[in-house]
Amino acid sequence: QVAVSASALVKEYGTGESATRALDGIDVQIFQRQFTAIMGPSGSGKSTLLHCLAALDGPTSGEVRFGTDDLARLSDNKLTRLRRERVGFIFQGFNLVPTLTARENILLPLAMAGRKPDTHWFDQIIDAVGLADRLHHRPAQLSGGQQQRVACARALVARPEVIFADEPTGNLDSVAGGQVLGLLRQAVDDFGQTVVMVTHDAAAAGHTDRVVFLSDGRIVGEMGHPTAAGVL
Ligand code: ADP
Ligand code: ADP
């Protein structure tokens, strides 16, 4: 089944003479329970595509569907709920709240949705991210790798259908990067979630089921199988 799809997706920044066409007619289907990587040179539109698929940014034209929902037809309330309840986003700069502890940061999406944490689930995630002894630290007291793992745990905790990750290993050494990729892999294999990751790193892409290549806002190639898992 298709988790998210785009058809004839165009995204321009600015208007008139100075407009930049970041996405120039993207057709793509992201399948459920798959780990998909989006690769391409800097400026090719990877982050923009991720933001559009995650309903964080609206297209200039074309259509994005989340499951069967056409995003353009959702009310603002429904869009907000979709972002909160069905989407997890791991930002490049981690986006942790500096005044909150690791534990509070991780539980923030649940708190915002007015949901109580499932203690067993929380413990399982903390175990997987290896942060049990860092829960009461604030972001500034954590290494880059630990901060990124907090961001991953935060994206996992509300069990969103789809996790979008923008260069999740970008600032990490290979050990910490491997841990983060392992977690995302686990989200797919053990927790049945769907993961879409932007990366520059061919080694990172090796953990995925499928790689989609972008250049100048277009899809120029693809590796792996669009529906079967574990092919790469
Ligand atoms: P990538 O993630 O592959 O590096 P981006 O999606 O960030 O590519 O950017 C694609 C193009 O759109 C680039 O030319 C970039 O400069 C431009 N762009 C991205 N975000 C903005 C923005 N907020 N305003 C103007 N131009 C932007
Ligand atoms: P990436 O490293 O994924 O390519 P960027 O560094 O291009 O991401 O973008 C980081 C932020 O800056 C994003 O919020 C993006 O929208 C914004 N941005 C990127 N290019 C431009 C631009 N040319 N003008 C204004 N904002 C931009």
Side-chain angles (χ1 to χ4, degrees), residues 14 29 51 83 102 122 154 194 210 228:
Q29 293 183 312
H51 284 95
R83 290 188 192 111
F122 181 80
R154 182 179 56 183
T194 302
R210 176 191 184 200

Side-chain angles (χ1 to χ4, degrees), residues 24-122:
D24 190 19
I26 297 281
D27 293 290
V28 71
Q29 293 183 312
I30 304 294
F31 294 90
Q32 284 178 359
R33 293 161 187 261
Q34 260 209 328
F35 191 171
T36 302
I38 300 172
M39 295 190 78
S42 184
S44 58
K46 303 182 296 296
S47 294
T48 302
L49 177 57
L50 204 69
H51 284 95
C52 287
L53 293 176
L56 296 181
D57 205 353
T60 302
S61 64
E63 189 182 83
V64 177
R65 282 179 181 269
F66 203 95
T68 53
D69 290 327
D70 179 351
L71 292 185
R73 291 174 183 273
L74 295 184
S75 64
D76 284 352
N77 275 342
K78 285 195 167 159
L79 259 185
T80 303
R81 266 184 46 196
L82 181 143
R83 290 188 192 111
R84 240 179 231 173
E85 295 172 10
R86 300 173 67 186
V87 171
F89 205 98
I90 302 172
F91 294 92
Q92 244 181 345
F94 314 142
N95 265 36
L96 301 179
V97 181
T99 52
L100 299 181
T101 64
R103 184 172 200 280
E104 291 163 342
N105 266 288
I106 293 166
L107 291 175
L108 197 58
L110 286 179
M112 292 201 315
R115 284 164 59 195
K116 284 224 173 94
D118 169 339
T119 327
H120 178 69
W121 176 242
F122 181 80

